[in-house]
């Protein structure tokens, strides 16, 4: 083997362990960053926050241990020993490929913040005013909450338990959510919606209720967050009899720090 080939081989043998270390460290830092900045609630259910934070700490600890092991090993090993222990394995991908891929993904995660799910995703996944049997159901539920104190999810759970729309006629409503323009509704209607997370953002599903406006839906751009106060009526919309909010007040509000329901 030429001296140039030996030099390249030596550099690779030194580089690959550090790629593993940087991958462990980057993923640990990424998970801890999500946790400490509150971005984790845009990605998973709060029940799993502890698991992510503990995993981040463990990954950083592993990276630190590996750094110590590398530095200790370097002191004891010589250039000739490194080359002499060249054990070759047959692999599908080039050496260091998986570590490099993990490192690149973690760096992209650090540079690109997670986005809030919005109306385009809501339309793709289908907005509903009921909880399907395949989705997580509330373990316990009562209708003791006053109508005007119900969140959007409380309303959907109530409709899921007692689905007769006419029973809610005249009840007060005060809900927050983002605007969706549904193709299935006329121009003077919008849907006020929120996403519900049962595990993570991948399985989040939108719930919502139609709002009957005195003006056009174009006055309220999609993804605008609103607080809507009003009362319930019932109408036949999209071949379905359902509750509709008639607003007495519509106020634009900032996007909440915690935009999802759980």
């Amino acid at each position: 083997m030429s001296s140039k080939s030996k030099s390249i081989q030596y550099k690779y043998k030194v580089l690959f362990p550090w790629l593993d270390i940087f991958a462990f460290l980057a993923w640990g830092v990424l998970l801890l960053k999500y946790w400490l900045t509150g971005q984790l609630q845009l990605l998973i259910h709060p029940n799993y926050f502890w698991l992510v934070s503990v995993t981040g700490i463990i990954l950083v600890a592993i990276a630190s241990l590996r750094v110590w092991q590398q530095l200790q090993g370097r002191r004891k090993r010589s250039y000739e020993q490194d080359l002499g222990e060249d054990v070759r394995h047959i692999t599908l991908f080039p050496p260091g490929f998986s570590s490099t891929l993990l490192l690149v993904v973690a760096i992209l995660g650090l540079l690109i913040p997670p986005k809030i799910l919005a109306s385009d995703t809501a339309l793709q996944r289908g907005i509903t005013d009921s909880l399907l049997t395949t989705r997580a159901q509330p373990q316990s539920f009562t209708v003791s909450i006053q109508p005007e104190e119900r969140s959007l999810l409380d309303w959907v759970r109530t409709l899921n338990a007692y689905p007769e729309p006419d029973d809610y006629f005249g009840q007060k409503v005060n809900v927050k959510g983002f605007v969706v323009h549904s193709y299935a509704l006329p121009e003077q209607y919008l849907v006020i919606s929120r996403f519900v997370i049962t595990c993570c953002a991948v399985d989040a599903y939108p719930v919502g209720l139609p709002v009957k406006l005195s003006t056009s839906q174009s006055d309220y751009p999609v993804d605008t967050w609103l607080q809507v106060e009003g009362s319930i009526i019932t109408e036949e919309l999209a071949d379905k009899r359902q509750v509709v909010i008639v607003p007495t007040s519509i106020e634009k509000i900032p996007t909440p720090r915690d935009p999802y329901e759980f």
Side-chain angles (χ1 to χ4, degrees), residues 10 27 44 52 84 138 154 227:
Y10 178 75
W27 272 99
I44 62 172
V52 174
D154 290 331
Q227 180 162 3

Side-chain angles (χ1 to χ4, degrees), residues 33-59:
K33 177 216 169 193
Y34 283 155
W35 174 47
L36 294 173
T37 60
Q39 293 176 330
L40 202 53
Q41 60 195 2
L42 302 181
L43 300 172
I44 62 172
H45 192 284
N47 287 348
Y48 306 106
F49 283 7
W50 70 271
L51 183 61
V52 174
S53 57
V54 169
T55 303
I57 293 171
I58 290 175
L59 290 174

